[in-house]
Amino acid sequence: MIPGAFNYHRPASVAEAVGLLATLGDDGRALAGGHSLIPMMKLRLATPANLVDLAGIADLRGIRSEGGDIVIGATTTQHDLIGSDLLAAKVPILRETALVIADPQVRYLGTLGGNVANGDPGNDMPAVMMCLGSTYHIAGKGGERRVAARQFYQGAYVTALQTGDLLTAVRIPVPATGHGYAYEKLKRKVGDYATAAAAVVLRMTDGKVEACSIGLTNVADTPLWAEEAAKILTGSSLDRPTIKRAVAAAEAITSPASDARGPAVYRTKMAGVMLARALARAKSRADA
Ligand SMILES: Cc1cc2nc3c(=O)[nH]c(=O)nc-3n(C[C@H](O)[C@H](O)[C@H](O)COP(=O)(O)OP(=O)(O)OC[C@H]3O[C@@H](n4cnc5c(N)ncnc54)[C@H](O)[C@@H]3O)c2cc1C
């Protein structure tokens, strides 16, 4: 399939990109790695008259420490995340997640910003960002603002981004030293989106869960933050009955579609299975 005609713009700075997007309004669309947008354009499900390519903006790419946070520029690729020693040391769940996104070809071009801004519930990074308590930096007509990942997702392809907004970076609070983590994803084959997936970050003290956060991928119109399930686990030793209650609480907030990945009831159950596996692996990695 061939996309419709469009004008191509290549700004050299964030200010120039924001200016262009503001002027173009609904006729303009940011282009990052193009691995969600271009397929949509080929299917004519997206028909932007103007593409604003972010690839020429050096300030949008890179990974740095800032205070107790890690700040990752929007056009940092999924491949960059996998190769980062800083992330491997401080937020290893990002590497684990990036490694199960698509395949190396997609990851060389696909960006973190595109993955979280896209609003597709099948994208893997949004639930992880909710799990980590991350914040998105957004530049727009009205200046700069920050929106918590947990408040960003409003529906399938509907986010807190407004016309003309550019997501410039993702800010991640560094989890405590010795934390446990896991991203468990069930997919039909290598390169597939999740049938269901679960992200867990937790801290253990004296064999008990001191803090816990859980995100779920592709089991609702938006990524989910399973707050109630995490509350149930906090203070427990991750014993079987408590895990069973937490899994039930997580399953209760899902509302997946029945699709080629399976009927809704199966996908809900798989979210529970992924959560139980992620909890076991996170516990095995945590300093008790
Ligand atoms: C075969 C295949 C398999 C895939 N499998 C997976 C998978 O398993 N898991 C997964 O998570 N993803 C998967 N993807 C999607 C891939 O990860 C995409 O790269 C990603 O979803 C979007 O990132 P991008 O940089 O390519 O964004 P683009 O495609 O360029 O943009 C996506 C959307 O986000 C907007 N956008 C991009 N950057 C910004 C920004 N900085 N500010 C505001 N808006 C912005 C664009 O306007 C567009 O609407 C797959 C893709 C393919 C082709």
Side-chain angles (χ1 to χ4, degrees):
M1 294 281 282
I2 298 169
F6 56 86
N7 299 310
Y8 177 81
H9 308 264
R10 195 175 167 96
S13 68
V14 170
E16 197 188 332
V18 169
L20 265 170
L21 288 167
T23 309
L24 295 167
D26 288 335
D27 288 336
R29 194 92 172 251
L31 173 70
H35 271 63
S36 288
L37 184 53
I38 303 289
M40 298 274 271
M41 289 170 64
K42 287 183 169 181
L43 293 168
R44 305 283 173 123
L45 293 171
T47 51
N50 294 272
L51 287 184
V52 178
D53 189 350
L54 307 178
I57 309 176
D59 286 353
L60 284 180
R61 192 158 178 177
I63 304 170
R64 65 178 193 275
S65 262
E66 206 176 274
D69 299 334
I70 300 279
V71 179
I72 305 178
T75 60
T76 305
T77 64
Q78 295 150 13
H79 175 75
D80 293 336
L81 302 182
I82 292 167
S84 162
D85 291 340
L86 180 63
L87 292 184
K90 301 285 187 189
V91 204
I93 193 171
L94 292 184
R95 179 173 195 275
E96 181 155 295
T97 305
L99 277 168
V100 293
I101 292 177
D103 51 51
Q105 276 180 304
V106 172
R107 298 194 297 254
Y108 276 126
L109 281 175
T111 66
L112 177 64
N115 200 282
V116 301
N118 194 26
D120 180 343
N123 284 139
D124 288 288
M125 283 296 175
V128 176
M129 293 305 160
M130 292 170 102
C131 177
L132 288 164
S134 305
T135 304
Y136 300 157
H137 294 203
I138 297 165
K141 284 175 280 194
E144 293 191 9
R145 66 186 199 283
R146 294 183 184 186
V147 178
R150 290 172 192 167
Q151 259 93 56
F152 186 78
Y153 299 97
Q154 301 168 355
Y157 298 99
V158 184
T159 69
L161 287 179
Q162 288 160 9
T163 303
D165 278 348
L166 185 69
L167 190 143
T168 55
V170 174
R171 176 176 291 269
I172 303 159
V174 173
T177 308
H179 72 279
Y181 66 92
Y183 188 66
E184 284 282 350
K185 174 174 175 178
L186 176 68
K187 50 187 177 178
R188 296 170 299 178
K189 61 177 182 56
V190 170
D192 194 16
Y193 289 88
T195 300
V200 168
V201 170
L202 53 72
R203 209 165 61 241
M204 307 279 297
T205 308
D206 298 331
K208 296 254 159 72
V209 176
E210 197 186 323
C212 178
S213 185
I214 297 166
L216 301 173
T217 297
N218 217 11
V219 281
D221 274 357
T222 63
L224 298 172
W225 185 49
E227 190 176 12
E228 185 56 33
K231 269 192 199 148
I232 290 169
L233 294 163
T234 305
S236 81
S237 58
L238 291 178
D239 54 284
R240 272 171 176 253
T242 310
I243 289 181
K244 209 171 161 193
R245 280 199 298 126
V247 162
E251 288 178 0
I253 63 167
T254 67
S255 52
S258 293
D259 63 12
R261 294 184 177 81
V265 65
Y266 166 73
R267 296 183 60 196
T268 289
K269 280 291 159 204
M270 289 308 102
V273 172
M274 292 305 107
L275 174 56
R277 285 186 191 170
L279 286 167
R281 214 144 54 82
K283 182 183 180 184
S284 74
R285 285 166 162 170
D287 290 350

